[in-house]
Protein backbone atom coordinates (compact mmCIF):
# COMPACT_ATOMS: atom_id res chain seq x y z
CA UNK A 1 0.00 0.00 0.00
CA UNK A 2 1.23 3.48 -0.82
CA UNK A 3 -1.43 5.61 0.85
CA UNK A 4 -1.02 7.91 3.86
CA UNK A 5 -3.53 9.95 5.87
CA UNK A 6 -3.15 13.55 4.80
CA UNK A 7 -5.78 14.98 7.09
CA UNK A 8 -9.44 15.32 7.96
CA UNK A 9 -11.65 18.04 6.51
CA UNK A 10 -14.75 19.56 8.07
CA UNK A 11 -17.38 21.16 5.83
CA UNK A 12 -18.45 24.55 7.18
CA UNK A 13 -19.95 27.91 6.28
CA UNK A 14 -17.00 30.12 7.30
CA UNK A 15 -13.60 28.37 7.33
CA UNK A 16 -11.63 31.38 8.55
CA UNK A 17 -14.02 32.00 11.45
CA UNK A 18 -14.08 28.33 12.42
CA UNK A 19 -10.27 28.26 12.21
CA UNK A 20 -10.19 30.69 15.15
CA UNK A 21 -11.83 28.02 17.34
CA UNK A 22 -9.83 25.01 16.14
CA UNK A 23 -6.41 26.76 16.25
CA UNK A 24 -6.99 27.57 19.92
CA UNK A 25 -8.65 24.25 20.74
CA UNK A 26 -5.83 22.11 19.33
CA UNK A 27 -2.83 24.49 19.35
CA UNK A 28 -2.67 24.53 15.55
CA UNK A 29 -1.79 27.26 13.11
CA UNK A 30 -3.03 28.19 9.65
CA UNK A 31 -0.68 26.50 7.18
CA UNK A 32 -2.64 27.26 4.00
CA UNK A 33 -5.56 29.51 3.14
CA UNK A 34 -7.18 29.25 -0.31
CA UNK A 35 -8.94 32.61 -0.20
CA UNK A 36 -11.21 31.48 2.63
CA UNK A 37 -12.65 28.54 0.69
CA UNK A 38 -10.28 25.99 2.20
CA UNK A 39 -8.15 26.56 5.28
CA UNK A 40 -5.59 23.98 6.36
CA UNK A 41 -4.50 23.87 10.01
CA UNK A 42 -1.32 22.11 11.14
CA UNK A 43 0.72 21.58 14.25
CA UNK A 44 3.83 23.77 14.32
CA UNK A 45 5.36 21.44 16.92
CA UNK A 46 4.80 18.32 14.78
CA UNK A 47 4.15 19.11 11.10
CA UNK A 48 4.06 15.35 10.33
CA UNK A 49 0.67 15.08 12.09
CA UNK A 50 -2.37 14.97 9.80
CA UNK A 51 -3.86 18.37 9.03
CA UNK A 52 -7.32 19.61 9.93
CA UNK A 53 -9.01 21.13 6.90
CA UNK A 54 -11.96 23.52 6.93
CA UNK A 55 -13.85 23.63 3.63
CA UNK A 56 -16.51 26.16 2.70
CA UNK A 57 -19.78 24.61 1.52
CA UNK A 58 -23.08 26.34 0.67
CA UNK A 59 -25.43 23.98 2.51
CA UNK A 60 -26.02 23.90 6.26
CA UNK A 61 -25.21 20.81 8.30
CA UNK A 62 -28.27 18.58 8.51
CA UNK A 63 -28.58 15.72 10.98
CA UNK A 64 -25.84 13.93 12.84
CA UNK A 65 -22.29 13.96 11.51
CA UNK A 66 -21.41 10.71 9.74
CA UNK A 67 -17.74 11.20 10.68
CA UNK A 68 -16.47 13.05 13.72
CA UNK A 69 -13.22 13.68 15.58
CA UNK A 70 -12.41 11.87 18.84
CA UNK A 71 -9.91 13.29 21.33
CA UNK A 72 -8.46 11.61 24.41
CA UNK A 73 -7.33 13.24 27.63
CA UNK A 74 -6.61 12.30 31.23
CA UNK A 75 -8.61 15.33 32.50
CA UNK A 76 -11.82 15.28 30.47
CA UNK A 77 -13.73 17.78 32.61
CA UNK A 78 -10.95 20.40 32.43
CA UNK A 79 -10.69 20.03 28.65
CA UNK A 80 -14.45 20.27 28.21
CA UNK A 81 -14.51 23.44 30.32
CA UNK A 82 -11.66 24.92 28.23
CA UNK A 83 -13.36 24.02 24.93
CA UNK A 84 -16.71 25.45 26.03
CA UNK A 85 -14.93 28.70 26.99
CA UNK A 86 -13.55 28.79 23.42
CA UNK A 87 -17.04 28.46 21.92
CA UNK A 88 -17.91 24.75 21.91
CA UNK A 89 -21.29 23.49 23.09
CA UNK A 90 -21.43 20.59 25.54
CA UNK A 91 -23.72 17.69 24.73
CA UNK A 92 -24.39 14.31 26.28
CA UNK A 93 -21.97 12.19 28.27
CA UNK A 94 -21.65 8.46 27.57
CA UNK A 95 -19.96 5.62 29.47
CA UNK A 96 -19.05 2.09 28.49
CA UNK A 97 -16.72 -0.23 30.41
CA UNK A 98 -13.29 1.41 30.34
CA UNK A 99 -14.25 4.69 28.65
CA UNK A 100 -16.30 7.83 29.29
CA UNK A 101 -16.76 10.50 26.62
CA UNK A 102 -18.67 13.70 26.10
CA UNK A 103 -20.09 14.85 22.78
CA UNK A 104 -19.45 18.51 21.96
CA UNK A 105 -20.13 20.75 18.99
CA UNK A 106 -17.81 23.36 17.51
CA UNK A 107 -19.24 26.87 16.89
CA UNK A 108 -20.84 25.70 13.60
CA UNK A 109 -22.43 22.61 15.16
CA UNK A 110 -19.94 19.98 13.96
CA UNK A 111 -19.77 17.17 16.53
CA UNK A 112 -16.61 15.90 18.19
CA UNK A 113 -15.94 13.84 21.30
CA UNK A 114 -13.61 14.15 24.27
CA UNK A 115 -12.99 10.92 26.11
CA UNK A 116 -10.95 9.50 28.94
CA UNK A 117 -10.25 5.91 29.91
CA UNK A 118 -11.13 4.54 33.34
CA UNK A 119 -11.00 1.21 35.08
Amino acid sequence: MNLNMGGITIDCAEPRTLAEFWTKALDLEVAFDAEGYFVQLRSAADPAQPYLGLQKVPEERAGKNRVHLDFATADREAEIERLVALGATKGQEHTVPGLTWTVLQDPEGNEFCVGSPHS
Side-chain angles (χ1 to χ4, degrees), residues 62-84:
K64 185 180 182 313
N65 291 19
R66 295 290 297 209
V67 175
H68 65 268
L69 304 173
D70 288 332
F71 300 102
T73 180
D75 193 346
R76 190 173 47 83
E77 290 300 325
E79 283 300 317
I80 290 168
E81 185 176 315
R82 182 182 71 83
L83 292 164
V84 168

Side-chain angles (χ1 to χ4, degrees), residues 1-22:
M1 184 181 86
N2 193 20
L3 191 62
N4 298 308
M5 166 94 65
I8 296 172
T9 298
I10 299 172
D11 289 349
C12 60
E14 296 296 332
R16 287 178 174 159
T17 303
L18 197 54
E20 294 175 22
F21 170 79
W22 284 109

Side-chain angles (χ1 to χ4, degrees), residues 9-110:
T9 298
I10 299 172
D11 289 349
C12 60
E14 296 296 332
R16 287 178 174 159
T17 303
L18 197 54
E20 294 175 22
F21 170 79
W22 284 109
T23 55
K24 293 173 186 168
L26 300 176
D27 193 24
L28 302 174
E29 55 186 38
V30 175
F32 177 76
D33 184 336
E35 299 180 2
Y37 289 97
F38 179 79
V39 177
Q40 186 183 83
L41 309 177
R42 286 199 172 271
S43 168
D46 186 2
Q49 285 187 4
Y51 66 80
L52 179 62
L54 304 170
Q55 178 174 285
K56 186 175 186 117
V57 296
E59 63 276 357
E60 292 185 20
R61 186 181 76 84
K64 185 180 182 313
N65 291 19
R66 295 290 297 209
V67 175
H68 65 268
L69 304 173
D70 288 332
F71 300 102
T73 180
D75 193 346
R76 190 173 47 83
E77 290 300 325
E79 283 300 317
I80 290 168
E81 185 176 315
R82 182 182 71 83
L83 292 164
V84 168
L86 291 173
T89 302
K90 183 178 175 183
Q92 292 185 323
E93 182 177 293
H94 304 274
T95 300
V96 296
L99 179 66
T100 297
W101 71 94
T102 302
V103 178
L104 293 102
Q105 292 183 345
D106 73 13
E108 284 203 15
N110 298 296

